[in-house]
Structures are given as C-alpha cells and as structure tokens.
Amino acid sequence: MRPFQYTRAPSLTEASNLTAGEDALAIAGGTNLLDLMKLQVETPGQLADINRLGFADIEATDDGGLRLGALATNTDTAVHPRVRSDYPVLSRAILAGATQQLRNKATNGGNLCQRTRCFYFTNIDQPCNKREPGSGCGAIDGIAKLHAILGTSNQCIATYPGDMAVALSALGAAVEISGEKGERSVPVRDFHLLPGDTPWIENVLEAGEIITGIVLPAPVGGTQIYRKVRERSSYAFALVSVAAIIELADGKFSRADLAFGGLAHKPWFDPRIGECLLGQPPSAALFEKAADILLEDARGYGENDFKIPLTRRTLHAVLAQVTGDAA
Amino acid sequence: MTVHFKQDEPDNSNRLDRMKQGVLGKPLPRIEGLAKVTGTAPYAAEYPIENCTEGVLVTATITRGEVTSIDHESVLTMPGVIAVVDNEKLCTRAAQGTANEAPMQGPKQVCYWGQPIALVVAETFEQARDAAKHLKVDYREEEGAPIDPGAVEPEEQEDETVHQGDLAHAMADAAHSVDVTYTTRGHASAAMEPHAAIAQWDGDKLTVYAALQMLNYNITELADALDMEEENIRLISRFVGGGFGSKLGISEEVVAAALAAKQIGRPVRVVQSRQQVFQTVMRRSETTQRLRLAADENGKLTGFGHEALVSNLPGEDFAEPVLQSSHFLYDGENRELMLKVARIHRMTAGSVRAPGEAVGMPALEGAMDVLAEKAGLDPVELRLRNIPEKDPEEDLPFSSHKLAECLKQGAEAFGWDKGPRKPRQRREGEWWIGTGMASAARVHNIAEAKARVTLKADGTALVETDMTDIGTGTYTILAQIVGEMLGLDPERVLVELGDTRHPRGPGSGGSWGAASIGSAVYVACKAIREELAAKTGTSEEELELREGEAGTGEALTDLLEGEDLAREGHYEPGDIEDDYTASGFGAFFAEVRVNHYTGETRVDRMLGAFGFGRVLNAKTARSQCIGGITWSIGVALTEALEFDPRDGHLVNCDLAEYHVPVHRDVPDLEVVLVEERDGAASPIQAKGIGELGMCGGAAAIANAIYNACGARIYDYPMTPDRVLEAMPE
Ligand SMILES: Cc1cc2nc3c(=O)[nH]c(=O)nc-3n(C[C@H](O)[C@H](O)[C@H](O)COP(=O)(O)OP(=O)(O)OC[C@H]3O[C@@H](n4cnc5c(N)ncnc54)[C@H](O)[C@@H]3O)c2cc1C
Ligand code: SF4
C-alpha cells in the first residue's frame, strides 16, 4: 500500500471535487479497493470516503419502480422485501456472489465498479495493459480459464466478474450518476465498456463522477432465474452466468430478457436473443438457435474454449427450466 | 531420569485397555479449544514484543538467473525504513520435512519466479511492504529455464523402481486388463495461519517465535543456516494454525527474521503475505501416472504396474512419493513400478498433506474401478479379492491389516448396493446421481521421541516436550494418555508443547506425531508407575490407579510424600520396522450429483471407514478423518495450482482463486472408526491417522461421477469443463 490522503467527503459536491483529480478514487465498502491497494494494483494518492453521503436508502419511484441507493449494502438490497418479491433475479444474483461477510460490507455502487479478477491484472510484476497501458496482456498466452469469449480485443480479454450487474442488465435498470457537470442516468447495459484499445477504461464514469443510485423499472413479473455455473458451490466467480426473465403466453415466449456473466468485459446483453425467442413456442431447436446467435462471434483462447459449449448448455438449461421443456 | 525404550518386538498385551481411569479414546474436546476460539492462544506473529520492527520479503521477478545488484538507497530514504537485508545466509527455499539442515541459501542465485531475495525492515508493516515493492533490483536472466515437466528428460528415482516377474506378459495373458494414464495437478497446503516468525537476540542467544511443525528438526536447520550452536537458540511454536506439511522445515521468513534482528539490533517480525505463502513455500507436485492392471477371469490381479512422473527444482531431494502404498496395497506377482522426477523451475515441491498417497491413491483407485467394470465385478468385491496375505514385494507380514473390515463395515454403513453397476441409471431433473467407492491406504510412519512427565506432589501432572500441536489435538491426547496411565482426570494434567527448552519430540508430520510422542509419554508414565508400584508393594503390571488413588487405597499425594516424581520417556522405533509392513487402511463411499447441462458436480453423501490402530480420542480422530475427506473433495473437484506457461510463476495464489472446498461443498460426512490394536506399530498400538482420510477419497468421487453420468475422467480435479468434455451425449 502506498501512503495516501484520506478524506471523508462531507457532501456530494465535495466528493466530486475530491475525485476529479488524476489519482483520486472514491471508497465505499472497500472490499475490492483495499485488496487492490495492498497489492499496489491501485495506488490512489487521494481517497474520498463516500460512506457518509447518505444515499443508502431503497425506496419506491413514482412509476412503481425501485431506487437502490448506491451505498445500500449488497445484503440489504438482496433481502429487501420489494427486491425479493418484485425483482427476484436481482436478489438471487447478489446472493450468488462473494460471501455473506463480503456482501454485508459491499455496496451497490462499488459492486458495479468492481474490477476484473484476471491474475495478471492483480500481480504488479506481470504485464497487463489494463493496469499498465502498453505493457502487454499476460493472459492472452497465459492462464485464461476465467477469461472472456465475447467482445475481446487483442489488448485485453478480461471479464467483468460481478453477478449483480448481470441481473440489472436483464432487468433494464439504469445507473444514476452525479458529477461536476450535474446528474445523468445511464442504462446498465451501456454502463460498462468493452476493452478495445483502452482496457483501463471500464465504464462510462468520468473523473469526479459518483454513482448515487440504481433505478429499477416497474416490476415486469415473469419467471426470474439467476443461474451461476462455478467449480465450487459458493465463494467463486462465475464461469458463466445467466440472468433470465421469461414469460410464456399461449405456449409462446411473451417475454425473454436475458443477460450473461463471465463472458465479456461487461454483462452481456444481446437484443437479438429476445427477438429470436419472442412469439415462438419453446423447443430444443429454438434454444439452439438462440445459442447460435449469442455465440456467433465467440472466440476462445485455449484454456477458456470450454466456455463456448458451456454457455450453450447453460442457456439451454435455463430455458428448459422455465418452459418445463427438458428437450 | 531418562527411561529409554526401543521397540524390537510387537506388544499385543493391550496394557492400555486394562488401565482403570477409562479416559483414553474418549471423545474429549480439545483442551486449547476455548483459548483458540476466544483469541487468547498466541500464534507466532502475535507475541507482544517490545521495540519490534517489521520485515517484508522481496521476491524475484525472473525465473532463473542472478541478482546483479540491489539498490538499498532506493528504499532507505523512504519513511520508516530501517534496513535492507540481502545477506548470503538468507534462505531462498523452505527446508524439506526432516531435512535437518539448512535449505538452499544465497539470494543472489534465482531458481524460480517469486523466490525470496531480500528483506526490507521498517518501523511499520505498511512501510516495509511499500518499500519492498519499491526496492530496485537488477538481474541477469538466463533464458529458457524449463518449467513444463513434460518437456524435459526426467531422472529415475531408482530406490522406487520395482521389476518383478513380467508385467507385459501378464497384461497380454490377462482375462481383463486396464492401461490408463491419470494426471493430477499441483496442490497447496493453504493453512489458515500464514508463515510467520519473530526473532529476538539477547547477546548471542536467539529466541524465535515461529509457525513450525517440527521443532526438533527446525532448531538444527536454523542453527545450520545461521552457523551457530543449537544451545544458543530457542524456538517457540505453542500454537500452529495448520501446517499440512508446509511448516515441516524452516521457511524463508524464519532465517530472514533472525538475520535482520541481528543486523539492526532490534526484534524483527516477518509475516509472509498470503500470496507469498502460496508462491514461496511448498507445492505438491503435479503428477502423470500410468496404471496397468492385469487380472484373471475371477478378477484376481496377476500384474500390477504404476509409473509416475513428478517434478521439482534442481537440487531438491524430495520427489512426491506417489507409489508409496502401491507397493503393498494389492496382489499381483508381476510388478513394474517406477518414479521419475522432472527438474523444472517452478517453486519448490515438497510435502503437502499425505505426500504420495494423496495423489497416487486417487489414480490407482480410479483404475481399479475401470477394472471392476471390465471384470463385471462389484468394486468392493474386486478389492476384497486382491488383498495380499503379505507384502507382495518385500515378503513381509503386515503388522495388522483392516482393509477388508473397512470395506465391509463401510459398505454396510453407507448402504452400498452390491447389485450390477451401470452408469446413467438415476436422474433427478437436471442431475445425474451415482455412487462410487475406493480403498484408502497410508503407510505408517513413526519416529524417535522424548517427553518428560512429572507427577507433582499435589497430585497433578505435567508433560513437557517440544512436540507441536498443529490443530490436531496433541495437547488433549497426551493429557489422556497420562490420565489413563497415572489414574488422573485429564483436567489435572498440564501439557506444555512447542518449546525447544523441553525434551525433543518427533514433530508433527507424516501422521507420526500422536503414535510417536504418545509412546514417549507412555514410556515415561510406565516408569513413574514402577516407582509408585514399589511404594505400594505391588508390581507395575498389577498397579491400579484411578482418580488419584491406587487400588490399594492410598492417595497418590500420600504416596509421593511431598516430592515430585519426574521421568523422561525416550521412545525409539526398533528393529520391528524391518520385520513388518505397517499401514493404515480404509474405504471411502460417495454419492454425487452431476449436472447434465453444466457438468457441475456436488457431493451429496460421503463416508469413510478407517482402521489406524488404537483411537486415542474419538473426537479428534474423527475430526482428522473429516478434514481428510474434505481434502479429498478438493482433490477430486476443485484444487489445482495454475502455473504460467512462460515464466512458471504460480498464478492463483490466494484463497479466492485456489479453490479449497467451502462449507456448501461438504455434506454431512460419516466416519466409521474400525476397532484395531497394532502392537507392532507403536507401544501404544496406534498408527498414523492425520492423512489417511484423504488417501483415495477423490477416487470414490471420480468413480461416482462415472457411475452417475458416464463421464470417465482421468484428470483430477474434475471441473465442469472436464466433466462436459467426457460426458456422453
Ligand atoms: C474474495 C471475494 C469474492 C468475491 N466474489 C464475488 C462474486 O462471486 N460475485 C460478485 O459479484 N462479486 C464478488 N466479489 C466482489 C464484491 O462484490 C465487490 O468487492 C464489492 O461489491 C465492491 O463493493 P465495495 O462497496 O466494497 O466497493 P469498494 O471496494 O469500496 O470500491 C470498488 C470500486 O468502486 C468504486 N466506487 C465505489 N462506490 C462508488 C460510487 N458510489 N461511485 C463511483 N465509484 C464507486 C471505487 O472507487 C472502487 O474503484 C468478491 C469479492 C471478494 C473480495
Ligand atoms: S486480460 Fe486484460 S486485465 Fe488481464 S492481463 Fe490482459 S490486459 Fe490485463
């Protein structure tokens, strides 16, 4: 850990001012940031503690949706009665992540911004374009079992590791952001970015911008599933995960909102999958077609080749589970 | 007064069963349990030492080569930094278990990525850690260091080689034969307590608080490393937060702390980070194992072949002893066994819980399952048919042999279905369900040990030895042995361990701790009993002691007449070791679920039945077995060290990314302790138990995966990607 300046931000404006600088970062629960600081992967000169800023509430919005404060903990969010009854996919996704102890401390805002678990990113004596632009990508010819198969670049093949955001993506939630230039709202589906030539830029947040909340649309109903595939049954990041909100009417798909984790630098949402399923009766052939579309541009890097068939099978399992069609 | 006993003959007199206190074997809770869970049991790094400074190891970022310069000035101006230690005596590897000499020293020569090369000392831990990351080091790298064990010509370990009869012939003539190759990946001990030491000098006297398993060897190793007399060193390891082999020998931080404390004239604490423990201490070698089994039409083995390739750094004597139990577990007159070591530049390979059988048995027992299927035999029956009468290679009798009982009692308790076995017979929703079994075997080790027992004038007793308790229950079983022998409630027995001021014990390792130190305590107690018998006018044989009284009615306190009665027991394994093959045996049974879509495997039920001689404490014994079975689950399903294919560094070096089983992976485990007394194994008729519980269990899971979904996998761990690849459509 490098010595750093710690300031408890007294107001949102002050938090923005503090984090506007080059080497400044906000700290919420600290469950990700502190680990990375100890490893000197993150070396902020200035830490702005945003924990006293107050946006920890979970409250109804005017249009029947729900606003989750950025500082609400993962635990408080997952067990909230309205989240459990109206957005079960979100509750399940959060509870599938990390451990109870971590979730008690982790905040919703921090969860969205958590950084990749790529082994080369977290080891400062190894090359990594994300940590040190231009140093190369250690993972591409290295150990890449957990890495991405969609939306990669020749600069970086890391995944966004989180679970909560996958469910938020399926739900069509939006991120509320406040900064020096005012407030804005960005759909979760557009919040995270692909690595391209700038893998160190992971989301749309600009210097000095703070996430204040996450807004869920009015409840959509349907059957909501979060399926996380992993080697051990808890305390492991997803090899592949699927968040699904599905409804059938007259034996045909009337809702099919799906998002995927563990596949890319962001929660993966491909509108063509819903389009492919909507209005069709469930069948094995249809599920295969959806998987074909999803994996059209998938590319493995050796060690993670298995993710391609695994994703196909997991998608199949989720759709079969909802439709009762084990085909 | 020291009483020496060397065991040359088996002792089947069952003396301990005829003692009157009735406390040995009882499931007493661990004496130190409360102190541990309330945080009052000090671990190595927790001793409050005045004026203590903090050291952090600096590790190499090349695979092989030379450190050409270390720029001390680059950190000496940083806040709080006191010194950089790059003394020639710094150790670059941990000592192998029982090495009894210093490990590799000389930090200039780099042999693996992550090797310690210096220590930075500062006033605070944070300052030292920051400075360690800033220390400027120049290297001359030697390119092309081999790191892939498959890419070099391996060396044969000739003392492991067996050529007996003609295996090729037996294979050709066999009614049923199996020729398969298994692989296992590297494992880490992953003990909770990181490696840590505090060193403090008083003139030329050194005291080190350290996290170590075998102080009797460690003191010699440290004296050798520092080039000083053992008499001037005191090592203290009263509580150790797990070792699993990783703390058998002294590791880098112990020597570094001692050197640094000398250099700066103040105490120094060095705690390895979690990543450093993973990357610098010990790995279990990966293995490639070819198994050849030839059987006649009744499933009787006629040929047995087991060849293994393991790896280690140049200059290391240790080679994962994969074949250890293969030498005697099953019949087969035509035998071919061979162990080879590839010299590569990954971190040191050494002992990780149950070295050898932990990976040898899962491969052998997987192959046995394949054979059972080919021979159309129930896998339990196949094993029963192949239990040898005597050691098939050494022509020695077994000291005692409970494999058959374990197989039968285990099958009974598990509800093993002896009916015909076919894969893919049971499906519930997405999950295939199946069962599997495997034998367990782990050679019995025993070592010389000394302990002093003092029966105090006030009717309490004191045990002193430098033996360690690494969380296994040593404190408790020693109190029980003394209680049983001297007729005392174990609460009246104070046990002091982990201090080299006490008589030298055997250390904890190779599962030999309890039987070895227990025998030394037994020998001491016997001598005390002889004194007491003389005082009461009976023989030691006839002396009955219970609740502080002799059978004749006198209270111990009266017999002692105000004097303490102390004896040092010195137990030495005798010629008996050459007369018998001694081993613990057992059987595992597992029921698993395999997800048809995702290839995820979850263990629903698992049972182990074990025979390891006398049970000294049914609770701590069971705990050891449960821990072992839990490790089996890790070996079977999740644990694998990943090494970078270019520079050989260990990549997944923390507990988030090296996947030991979590609670949810471990179902309610059942343990059957099979009654046994092994008079040739040790005077107290006990054998090793700490490792047996993981020697073969992974195969029960692997075989259950096959039975469930038809995926026959030859590579451990059986992660979802491998299950899916092998699953029939
Ligand atoms: C061992 C382990 C296992 C885990 N397993 C999982 C898992 O399986 N699934 C999963 O989803 N997650 C997992 N996590 C990650 C965990 O969910 C995150 O660490 C946590 O959500 C981060 O929240 P935090 O409040 O602690 O963030 P912090 O650590 O405080 O911050 C993380 C980052 O977010 C930024 N930040 C925080 N709040 C804001 C804000 N309001 N506005 C702008 N920027 C902000 C910080 O500057 C920092 O860069 C795991 C973590 C650990 C340590
Ligand atoms: S995959 Fe991305 S994060 Fe990992 S080493 Fe390459 S550039 Fe760095």
Side-chain angles (χ1 to χ4, degrees):
Chain A
M1 195 173 276
R2 296 258 180 91
F4 56 88
Q5 198 72 40
Y6 169 88
T7 314
R8 183 178 290 150
S11 68
L12 194 51
T13 322
E14 198 49 36
S16 288
N17 290 340
L18 282 166
T19 53
E22 265 279 285
D23 69 340
L25 279 176
I27 183 164
T31 60
N32 188 219
L33 183 54
L34 284 178
D35 278 358
L36 294 174
M37 284 171 67
K38 289 178 194 168
L39 296 168
Q40 301 207 349
V41 172
E42 299 269 29
T43 52
Q46 167 73 55
L47 269 195
D49 182 342
I50 58 172
N51 284 292
R52 300 280 174 96
L53 295 188
F55 35 88
D57 293 339
I58 297 178
E59 59 206 355
T61 58
D62 293 344
D63 67 353
L66 198 63
R67 185 173 184 283
L68 313 171
L71 287 170
T73 66
N74 275 182
T75 297
D76 288 345
T77 307
V79 304
H80 192 275
R82 272 214 59 202
V83 175
R84 288 174 53 137
S85 63
D86 294 342
Y87 310 95
V89 66
L90 177 60
S91 180
R92 288 180 186 135
I94 293 173
L95 294 176
T99 64
Q100 184 70 53
Q101 293 91 328
L102 283 162
R103 294 191 299 265
N104 288 346
K105 195 81 188 122
T107 66
N108 292 332
N111 195 314
L112 282 178
C113 300
Q114 67 176 289
R115 309 211 60 192
T116 185
R117 310 302 287 198
C118 171
F119 302 124
Y120 299 87
F121 172 69
T122 50
N123 184 338
I124 61 166
D125 294 317
Q126 291 288 327
C128 169
N129 288 327
K130 184 188 279 297
R131 179 173 31 77
E132 209 179 312
S135 62
C137 170
I140 284 178
D141 292 314
I143 300 295
K145 189 168 179 183
L146 296 173
H147 286 69
I149 54 170
L150 288 169
T152 55
S153 75
N154 59 11
Q155 296 288 306
C156 178
I157 61 170
T159 55
Y160 167 76
D163 293 295
M164 182 185 87
V166 181
L168 293 174
S169 175
L171 284 163
V175 186
E176 288 191 336
I177 299 167
S178 165
E180 285 173 313
K181 287 183 234 150
E183 294 178 3
R184 59 180 180 136
S185 170
V186 176
V188 169
R189 291 171 192 167
D190 301 331
F191 179 76
H192 296 96
L193 302 171
L194 289 178
D197 290 333
T198 54
W200 56 93
I201 305 176
E202 296 178 344
N203 56 49
V204 299
L205 286 183
E206 302 205 359
E209 281 194 322
I210 302 282
I211 300 172
T212 54
I214 297 166
V215 175
L216 300 172
V220 295
T223 301
Q224 304 197 0
I225 291 182
Y226 189 72
R227 171 77 70 109
K228 181 175 178 180
V229 182
R230 45 189 155 167
E231 288 174 11
R232 62 180 176 188
S233 46
S234 178
Y235 195 36
F237 289 92
L239 295 171
V240 170
S241 71
V242 183
I245 304 164
I246 296 203
E247 211 164 8
L248 292 171
D250 304 327
K252 295 184 180 133
F253 281 101
S254 56
R255 176 177 290 278
D257 300 327
L258 292 109
F260 301 82
L263 302 186
H265 204 251
K266 58 184 290 187
W268 196 259
F269 178 84
D270 184 338
R272 296 175 303 161
I273 300 194
E275 285 159 19
C276 158
L277 295 171
L278 283 183
Q280 304 293 322
S283 72
L286 182 69
F287 301 169
E288 288 302 303
K289 198 170 144 202
D292 286 342
I293 293 170
L294 171 67
L295 296 166
E296 192 174 36
D297 296 322
R299 156 168 185 207
Y301 291 82
E303 285 221 310
N304 67 349
D305 289 351
F306 76 94
K307 280 191 175 183
I308 298 173
L310 179 62
T311 305
R312 176 178 293 277
R313 295 177 76 107
T314 308
L315 172 59
H316 198 121
V318 167
L319 293 174
Q321 180 185 344
V322 189
T323 59
D325 183 323
Chain B
M1 195 176 26
T2 301
V3 192
H4 177 235
F5 177 74
K6 184 157 172 248
Q7 189 176 17
D8 293 322
E9 294 295 328
D11 178 353
N12 295 314
S13 65
N14 296 346
R15 281 306 304 281
L16 281 162
D17 293 303
R18 287 183 282 114
M19 297 288 160
K20 297 297 170 203
Q21 184 68 22
V23 70
L24 194 60
K26 292 284 175 307
L28 300 192
R30 285 198 266 155
I31 291 174
E32 80 291 9
L34 189 65
K36 281 187 174 168
V37 298
T38 52
T40 52
Y43 289 84
E46 296 176 334
Y47 285 85
I49 305 289
E50 241 177 80
N51 205 21
C52 194
T53 62
E54 307 288 340
V56 168
L57 289 168
V58 180
T59 57
T61 57
I62 61 166
T63 307
R64 184 176 65 176
E66 209 185 318
V67 174
T68 50
S69 77
I70 294 184
D71 179 6
H72 294 207
E73 296 310 315
S74 63
V75 298
L76 284 175
T77 51
M78 291 177 70
V81 175
I82 302 165
V84 176
V85 180
D86 55 2
N87 193 306
E88 270 307 306
K89 287 183 177 152
L90 270 185
C91 293
T92 57
R93 306 176 187 178
Q96 296 288 353
T98 73
N100 230 18
E101 61 183 20
M104 193 75 83
Q105 290 171 285
K108 297 276 177 292
Q109 212 59 41
V110 177
C111 277
Y112 62 97
W113 201 103
Q115 171 190 307
I117 49 175
L119 183 83
V120 175
V121 187
E123 295 292 343
T124 71
F125 168 70
E126 285 75 13
Q127 290 167 337
R129 184 174 54 182
D130 188 23
K133 294 234 185 273
H134 279 86
L135 187 68
K136 221 176 130 323
V137 180
D138 288 323
Y139 302 95
R140 192 181 48 74
E141 189 168 3
E142 272 174 58
E143 302 282 337
I147 49 172
D148 173 5
V152 294
E153 190 56 44
E155 298 164 9
E156 186 177 330
Q157 295 289 103
E158 276 157 25
D159 49 348
E160 287 279 346
T161 305
V162 174
H163 296 292
Q164 192 175 302
D166 186 343
L167 179 61
H169 216 119
M171 289 291 286
D173 288 352
H176 311 287
S177 67
V178 171
D179 183 349
V180 290
T181 299
Y182 277 85
T183 65
T184 67
R185 305 286 289 276
H187 300 145
S189 291
M192 284 296 285
E193 181 201 19
H195 290 58
I198 305 176
Q200 186 172 26
W201 290 87
D202 180 4
D204 59 357
K205 303 251 184 263
L206 171 66
T207 302
V208 184
Y209 302 86
L212 294 167
Q213 293 178 229
M214 299 189 134
L215 298 189
N216 51 319
Y217 294 100
N218 304 140
I219 193 168
T220 314
E221 290 154 4
L222 184 57
D224 186 28
L226 299 175
D227 212 356
M228 60 189 282
E229 299 298 324
E230 282 175 33
E231 293 70 50
N232 290 333
I233 300 178
R234 182 178 179 195
L235 276 178
I236 296 173
S237 287
R238 293 204 179 94
F239 300 99
V240 183
F244 310 113
S246 70
K247 296 167 184 167
L248 290 177
I250 54 167
S251 36
E252 301 91 343
E253 79 288 352
V254 179
V255 176
L259 291 171
K262 181 108 216 176
Q263 181 173 328
I264 67 167
R266 284 173 66 184
V268 177
R269 168 177 24 227
V270 183
V271 182
Q272 294 210 28
S273 69
R274 181 62 68 191
Q275 288 79 5
Q276 287 177 337
V277 173
F278 266 90
Q279 289 181 330
T280 76
V281 182
M282 285 286 165
R283 63 180 169 102
R284 187 201 304 289
S285 172
E286 69 299 317
T287 71
T288 303
Q289 306 178 48
R290 181 182 183 198
L291 270 304
R292 282 179 289 170
L293 302 173
D296 66 17
E297 54 288 352
N298 298 318
K300 272 291 276 178
L301 285 169
T302 55
F304 183 96
H306 194 173
E307 293 146 80
L309 172 69
V310 302
S311 70
N312 209 340
L313 276 167
E316 291 295 325
D317 287 337
F318 181 90
E320 180 77 19
V322 178
L323 313 177
Q324 210 153 239
S325 284
S326 299
H327 288 294
F328 60 80
L329 183 57
Y330 295 125
D331 259 328
E333 56 274 22
N334 300 292
R335 306 178 77 83
E336 209 50 75
L337 288 89
M338 191 182 288
L339 180 66
K340 290 184 174 174
V341 194
R343 295 292 165 199
I344 56 168
H345 291 263
R346 293 179 183 176
M347 60 182 285
T348 323
S351 294
V352 176
R353 196 176 192 175
E357 285 94 331
V359 282
M361 288 292 294
L364 168 56
E365 290 300 295
M368 284 293 278
D369 199 63
V370 180
L371 180 64
E373 186 183 33
K374 283 199 169 173
L377 277 176
D378 176 74
V380 176
E381 180 58 29
L382 174 71
R383 284 154 176 98
L384 286 171
R385 286 187 192 181
N386 286 291
I387 298 177
E389 289 280 310
K390 54 181 178 133
D391 187 312
E393 291 172 15
E394 301 283 347
D395 198 26
L396 288 177
F398 289 102
S399 61
S400 163
H401 200 300
K402 291 288 174 195
L403 178 54
E405 282 79 354
C406 293
L407 288 164
K408 287 176 196 161
Q409 289 185 29
E412 171 76 29
F414 183 77
W416 179 256
D417 182 358
K418 294 206 183 77
R421 289 173 66 73
K422 258 176 74 184
R424 290 166 88 87
Q425 298 302 300
R426 220 174 122 197
R427 173 127 178 214
E428 286 175 12
E430 297 181 6
W431 297 89
W432 294 105
I433 297 173
T435 57
M437 59 78 52
S439 296
R442 170 73 179 160
V443 290
H444 165 64
N445 296 306
I446 189 103
E448 184 173 5
K450 291 181 191 155
R452 181 166 48 243
V453 178
T454 308
L455 182 57
K456 299 265 189 185
D458 65 1
T460 62
L462 172 68
V463 182
E464 295 161 297
T465 162
D466 77 355
M467 176 63 181
T468 52
D469 184 330
I470 55 173
T472 50
T474 315
Y475 280 104
T476 314
I477 58 146
L478 295 186
Q480 283 174 279
I481 293 172
V482 172
E484 192 63 55
M485 291 291 284
L486 302 183
L488 297 174
D489 184 323
E491 289 198 359
R492 297 179 67 79
V493 183
L494 177 66
V495 182
E496 291 203 347
L497 303 180
D499 186 335
T500 52
R501 290 211 166 150
H502 299 321
R504 287 196 175 188
S508 302
S511 298
W512 73 24
S516 308
I517 193 63
S519 292
V521 166
Y522 173 80
V523 168
C525 287
K526 234 170 130 180
I528 292 175
R529 286 173 56 86
E530 270 161 21
E531 285 294 308
L532 295 171
K535 288 180 196 273
T536 57
T538 52
S539 68
E540 191 273 321
E541 290 272 323
E542 273 157 28
L543 179 69
E544 292 188 358
L545 295 174
R546 197 174 165 276
E547 293 299 334
E549 276 187 17
T552 43
E554 298 100 323
L556 280 180
T557 43
D558 293 339
L559 288 174
L560 291 165
E561 295 173 325
E563 300 271 327
D564 290 356
L565 181 52
R567 287 290 178 275
E568 187 172 311
H570 176 191
Y571 159 71
E572 205 183 330
D575 298 340
I576 200 164
E577 280 200 306
D578 303 328
D579 300 340
Y580 297 91
T581 293
S583 176
F585 293 98
F588 298 97
F589 297 84
E591 181 173 305
V592 309
R593 265 178 306 144
V594 183
N595 190 289
H596 172 75
Y597 291 101
T598 63
E600 290 163 295
T601 301
R602 304 290 180 244
V603 180
D604 280 340
R605 217 150 66 81
M606 198 157 168
L607 175 145
F610 305 104
F612 39 67
R614 181 186 297 280
V615 173
L616 302 171
N617 176 322
K619 187 178 207 157
T620 54
R622 185 170 175 276
S623 296
Q624 286 298 300
C625 297
I626 287 178
I629 299 174
T630 303
W631 278 54
S632 298
I633 296 173
V635 173
L637 299 179
T638 54
E639 292 186 45
L641 294 176
E642 306 272 3
F643 293 92
D644 183 87
R646 297 150 302 187
D647 64 16
H649 84 275
L650 172 58
V651 166
N652 52 339
C653 51
D654 63 34
L655 291 170
E657 306 300 347
Y658 176 76
H659 289 167
V660 300
V662 296
H663 286 289
R664 222 202 221 172
D665 295 314
V666 185
D668 199 10
L669 304 175
E670 210 181 314
V671 174
V672 177
L673 302 177
V674 172
E675 185 85 8
E676 181 181 10
R677 302 279 180 270
D678 191 335
S682 63
I684 58 173
Q685 301 174 307
K687 289 188 276 202
I689 102 175
E691 296 164 314
L692 182 61
M694 71 171 301
C695 298
I701 296 167
N703 299 339
I705 291 175
Y706 174 70
N707 180 246
C709 71
R712 182 67 87 182
I713 305 164
Y714 299 96
D715 303 292
Y716 292 97
M718 303 191 175
T719 43
D721 48 323
R722 289 171 161 176
V723 174
L724 282 188
E725 200 177 306
M727 183 132 58
E729 260 322 301

